[in-house]
Amino acid sequence: MKERGILSPSDLRKPFNKAVYAFMVLCVAVMVVTMLYPIAMTLFNGLKSNPEVNSFPPRFFPREWHLENFAKGWSYIDLATYLKNTLLIFAGNLIMTVLVLGLAAFSLSRIGVPYGRAIYFFILMTLFIPASSYLIPNFVNLKELGLLNTFWAFWLPAGASAYYFLLIKNFFDGLHPEIFEAARIDGASEWIGFSRIAVPLSLPIFGTLAIFIFSTAWNDWFWPSLVMQTEDKYTLATAIYKYVIGARSLDTNVKFTILFMAMIPPIFVFLAFQKFIMRGVSLSAVKG
């Protein structure tokens, strides 16, 4: 059965509603074009010859299609190693978020730890501290711990994100307490309540955080350039910044192919996790 929209077919026949609807469609079309244009421009510039990329006036579509540019871009830098490092950082950050922040949020939301409200407001207060103010202390702490040039330089700070903690806690607060009370009556421990009840019911928020964490791990180049001191530990964004953006000996069309290959994985990650953002949590199984 097709759901009725805001405007019925008879409403759309009115001139004013037609004009408003056409304006809305135009705005959506403009938004789509502005989002897709940089991706398409990067792709087509990567398929051009180098003289055509630097020619004026520029052409959107290439005169000749040079697919070999992608092979040149892939072999110019070790993209596979940098991609592996980025995915390792993403996986570790996601695990730390689920375990450390998830358990902390579950403790304050469902267990009722002592001084829980004071702890919650203390964590909330840290959101008002500029991130640049604790950049140097974090670096010094990691140096003293001997964790520079290791992935723990990313994984440990991931377990101290106040913003992600508050998102998880607010989601846990919305879960019906009857579910956890019934589990306790049946003899389930708090770990069982967290791992088998809270986490499965909270897949929407963890899916959303997975997108945020992946975007941060994929786009961040400044922090990896500080804590990673050898080339084999660089992330993809750091390698592109150091070896591609400022490379004068590299052809412009090959630069575009590398940049386009770096654009593709985030798109697929979003398509894989976006269903968790839209999906609601059904708790109708709770009996009164």
Side-chain angles (χ1 to χ4, degrees):
M1 182 178 177
K2 186 178 180 179
E3 296 183 0
R4 183 184 183 275
I6 299 176
L7 298 177
S8 64
S10 60
D11 293 331
L12 287 175
R13 285 194 290 267
K14 298 178 181 179
F16 178 76
N17 290 340
K18 279 185 177 181
V20 174
Y21 184 76
F23 178 73
M24 293 171 60
V25 171
L26 178 62
C27 291
V28 173
V30 171
M31 181 181 65
V32 170
V33 170
T34 55
M35 290 181 177
L36 294 180
Y37 176 78
I39 301 176
M41 183 199 67
T42 305
L43 171 62
F44 292 136
N45 282 341
L47 293 172
K48 297 176 182 177
S49 63
N50 194 55
E52 186 179 0
V53 173
N54 297 307
S55 63
F56 187 85
R59 288 173 53 91
F60 187 72
F61 295 102
R63 292 189 177 91
E64 296 181 359
W65 301 77
H66 295 269
L67 297 176
E68 68 276 5
N69 292 341
F70 284 92
K72 295 178 181 178
W74 182 267
S75 60
Y76 178 75
I77 59 176
D78 193 359
L79 286 177
T81 299
Y82 303 136
L83 177 61
K84 180 196 69 175
N85 295 339
T86 305
L87 294 180
L88 283 175
I89 293 173
F90 160 67
N93 289 355
L94 182 60
I95 293 173
M96 292 293 290
T97 299
V98 174
L99 289 181
V100 178
L101 298 181
L103 285 171
F106 184 77
S107 300
L108 292 181
S109 179
R110 293 301 170 196
I111 298 180
V113 298
Y115 307 103
R117 191 170 181 83
I119 297 174
Y120 172 77
F121 280 109
F122 174 79
I123 297 176
L124 181 65
M125 185 174 57
T126 61
L127 290 175
F128 296 91
I129 302 176
S132 57
S133 63
Y134 51 79
L135 185 66
I136 296 178
N138 280 347
F139 179 83
V140 173
N141 288 335
L142 293 172
K143 182 179 179 181
E144 295 296 330
L145 293 172
L147 297 179
L148 293 181
N149 206 38
T150 66
F151 293 117
W152 285 104
F154 301 90
W155 296 341
L156 284 183
S161 174
Y163 178 66
Y164 293 166
F165 167 81
L166 294 176
L167 289 180
I168 300 172
K169 182 184 180 302
N170 290 337
F171 198 90
F172 283 170
D173 290 342
L175 301 179
H176 288 299
E178 291 87 353
I179 301 178
F180 302 97
E181 293 175 3
R184 294 189 186 101
I185 293 174
D186 292 338
S189 62
E190 299 298 342
W191 169 253
I192 296 297
F194 169 76
S195 60
R196 297 189 180 181
I197 299 177
V199 172
L201 291 177
S202 304
L203 286 181
I205 188 61
F206 286 122
T208 303
L209 291 179
I211 294 178
F212 294 160
I213 294 169
F214 182 83
S215 176
T216 301
W218 194 266
N219 297 323
D220 187 21
W221 64 270
F222 181 71
W223 180 249
S225 64
L226 286 178
V227 298
M228 293 304 192
Q229 301 170 345
T230 58
E231 182 180 345
D232 62 309
K233 294 295 184 65
Y234 284 164
T235 62
L236 186 61
T238 303
I240 290 177
Y241 176 78
K242 287 181 174 291
Y243 304 132
V244 177
I245 300 299
R248 297 185 177 182
S249 60
L250 181 62
D251 291 339
T252 307
N253 56 348
V254 179
K255 288 184 180 181
F256 277 109
T257 59
I258 297 174
L259 295 177
F260 178 76
M261 287 187 286
M263 290 180 179
I264 298 302
I267 297 176
F268 284 101
V269 168
F270 174 79
L271 293 177
F273 285 97
Q274 58 89 21
K275 61 181 179 181
F276 294 113
I277 301 178
M278 307 303 297
R279 186 173 63 180
V281 180
S282 175
L283 299 177
S284 57
V286 180
K287 297 182 180 180

